[in-house]
Amino acid sequence: MLKHVSFVTADLDATLNFYGQLGGVTEKNLTTAEGYRRGVLRLGPGRLQFFQIPDGSPRPHPHWAEHIAVHVTGLRALLAGLREAGVTVSRELELSPGGRDMAFVLDPDGRQVELLEAGEGHG
């Protein structure tokens, strides 16, 4: 069973806030013994872990194939709110192969995040 997935971020506060808007709950926000900021979010049954490491942090690949996928409720309203908050929509709302509403946005580091309506079908 997967425990967590870990990423590097340029701005831990912005990243924790962004994933909080998607339903994530911050479980840890601390500084490691090495001096890195570390944040852990619970997002459904899984965890996302982010490290803010100074100087030369690797950037995420811009292709949609590398992404985090998140089930959300009320995707259309959430997408409008994210857009108003200045979040970049990288792939507009469309139906997923399973018939659910789906869109892609960029997190504060430019990482692709797939938003998939949690309910059955589309609305």
Side-chain angles (χ1 to χ4, degrees):
M1 177 188 316
L2 181 68
K3 179 183 175 195
H4 68 263
V5 179
S6 223
F7 297 102
V8 172
T9 181
D11 184 340
L12 183 60
D13 294 326
T15 299
L16 293 175
N17 181 55
F18 173 83
Y19 285 97
Q21 292 179 67
L22 303 183
V25 176
T26 299
E27 292 185 338
K28 294 182 183 176
N29 183 351
L30 52 91
T31 300
T32 68
E34 301 85 7
Y36 305 147
R37 291 203 48 221
R38 175 180 173 232
V40 178
L41 293 124
R42 179 175 38 83
L43 196 60
R47 305 286 188 281
L48 293 176
Q49 175 173 251
F50 293 93
F51 288 93
Q52 182 175 319
I53 300 173
D55 302 329
S57 299
R59 308 311 300 163
H61 192 282
H63 193 276
W64 66 266
E66 292 186 4
H67 68 277
I68 297 168
V70 179
H71 280 118
V72 298
T73 55
L75 173 56
R76 290 172 184 256
L78 174 63
L79 192 60
L82 291 172
R83 197 183 305 268
E84 285 178 21
V87 172
T88 299
V89 176
S90 58
R91 191 164 160 190
E92 292 294 336
L93 189 71
E94 62 184 70
L95 288 182
S96 72
R100 296 179 182 190
D101 282 344
M102 171 185 77
F104 281 72
V105 297
L106 300 182
D107 78 3
D109 292 297
R111 190 174 292 107
Q112 298 280 343
V113 179
E114 175 185 353
L115 305 176
L116 183 64
E117 183 64 50
E120 293 296 322
H122 61 90

